Amino acid sequence: MSRAMEDQAATRRRPAVPILLYHAVTETPGTHIAPFAVPPSAFAQQLDLLLEAGYRCVTFGELVAAEVAGRPLGDPDDGRKTAVITFDDGFADFATAALPALRERSLVSTLYVTTGWLEGGRDRRPGPSDRMLDFAQLPGLLAEGVELGAHSHSHLQMDTLGAAQLRDELVRPKELLEDVLDRPVTTFAYPHGYNGPRVRRATRQAGYENACGVRNVLHCAGEDVFAVSRLMLRRTTTLDELSRWLEDVECRPAGRESWATRGWRAYRRARAVARRRPGSVYA
Ligand SMILES: [Zn+2]
């Protein structure tokens, strides 16, 4: 490659941002969450790998705010590789296992809680057998720099819900969290990552500014801020796999939602109608 071509490639180069998605961090998960629970020792190794690979972490809100302002983090001008660490559901081990490991390494994170699953809340919903965080712990987490977001109230598949229930699953957790945190809650994570144009529109209308899906691909600036891609860490995820995700890869133009994804959503919606209740992994 000539020097001119190298220079041109460097200006075009736009590193992708890994947004990691964790659930429970424990050696003793309940049956349902077991495939997605990472042992504390593996979690610590993964955080060390992230730091060794030269990443700095920001909260999800900070990442999106920089992109909306037209100064995406991780750009060549910015000079540093950026990653985001997120947690879904609100397992109690976030406070006892994940946070101490993050604190030790001065890493920030974003935690999305299912408000109907938390201890100390009103209108509890059926959930995992594992211990969940208590509402009373949330202000303390916020004070430690943890960004808090909503992950619905009942953890249903949002794209199978009717309009009224969809709105309730968006508005109720926002109000409950804002009451306890005494500040606006502007970020949402779709349960199971399931969303579509109707769900994204309702999320925006409910007052959120951005939202996470899953997709298991790296995030690039320019992606819909209401369907941001994350990479799900599982019990079986190896350090080699994580290492491959963390390699400094270039962003490519975003692809459209695949026909397989759309077909799967149509199937789940039809099944929810047939059962006369919304689908959920835990129900
Ligand atoms: Zn979840």
Side-chain angles (χ1 to χ4, degrees):
M1 198 188 279
S2 73
R3 181 64 192 270
M5 282 167 74
E6 269 173 11
D7 285 351
Q8 203 182 15
T11 19
R12 275 204 313 267
R13 189 177 148 276
R14 200 155 53 89
V17 177
I19 305 179
L20 308 182
L21 163 56
Y22 289 94
H23 291 86
V25 177
T26 176
E27 289 282 4
T28 54
T31 318
H32 284 110
I33 203 64
F36 309 103
V38 174
S41 54
F43 181 65
Q45 287 176 334
Q46 291 165 2
L47 296 184
D48 288 339
L49 183 65
L50 195 68
L51 292 172
E52 282 160 22
Y55 280 88
R56 55 100 184 265
C57 286
V58 297
T59 64
F60 184 73
E62 287 167 338
L63 179 84
V64 175
E67 287 176 11
V68 169
R71 293 188 300 275
L73 300 174
D75 260 15
D77 290 348
D78 182 47
R80 290 189 67 185
K81 295 192 278 187
T82 300
V84 178
I85 304 173
T86 69
F87 296 82
D88 278 7
D89 298 345
F91 290 96
D93 57 51
F94 174 79
T96 54
L99 189 57
L102 292 163
R103 194 190 290 131
E104 204 174 294
R105 294 163 180 81
S106 302
L107 292 170
V108 293
S109 62
T110 299
L111 168 69
Y112 292 98
V113 295
T114 303
T115 47
W117 287 356
L118 297 189
E119 302 286 335
R122 300 187 299 271
D123 198 13
R124 296 283 296 278
R125 298 295 160 90
S129 54
D130 311 73
R131 245 193 88 217
M132 304 306 287
L133 288 167
D134 193 296
F135 266 98
Q137 291 175 274
L138 302 184
L141 298 180
L142 186 71
E144 277 221 50
V146 177
E147 181 185 32
L148 281 147
H151 189 46
S152 82
H153 188 68
S154 314
H155 209 276
L156 304 171
Q157 298 177 9
M158 307 286 281
D159 54 352
T160 67
L161 304 180
Q165 198 176 9
L166 175 59
R167 183 163 171 79
D168 187 57
E169 286 293 325
L170 289 161
V171 171
R172 188 192 300 238
K174 192 173 195 301
E175 289 176 352
L176 289 170
L177 290 173
E178 288 178 349
D179 279 352
V180 72
L181 298 173
D182 204 20
R183 61 182 296 165
V185 169
T186 55
T187 185
F188 190 87
Y190 307 109
H192 318 286
Y194 292 146
N195 69 88
R198 189 177 65 101
V199 172
R200 295 196 288 272
R201 208 163 38 242
T203 306
R204 186 190 299 268
Q205 283 165 357
Y208 293 98
E209 291 173 7
N210 51 61
C212 293
V214 182
R215 286 190 72 209
N216 286 317
V217 294
L218 296 158
H219 164 70
C220 287
E223 192 174 36
D224 181 352
V225 295
F226 281 88
V228 175
S229 299
R230 292 185 293 173
L231 304 161
M232 200 198 294
L233 281 287
R234 297 167 181 266
R235 188 162 198 86
T236 51
T237 305
T238 64
L239 280 178
D240 276 352
E241 281 173 79
L242 179 59
S243 194
R244 280 197 292 278
W245 277 343
L246 299 181
E247 279 167 14
D248 193 9
V249 292
E250 197 177 325
C251 284
R252 294 182 195 83
R256 284 178 62 82
E257 196 174 57
S258 74
W259 283 105
T261 300
R262 290 187 225 177
W264 174 233
R265 181 187 308 134
Y267 164 74
R268 286 183 295 100
R269 200 175 282 159
R271 189 178 56 180
V273 169
R275 288 178 180 169
R276 294 179 192 282
R277 65 176 176 81
S280 169
V281 161
Y282 297 100

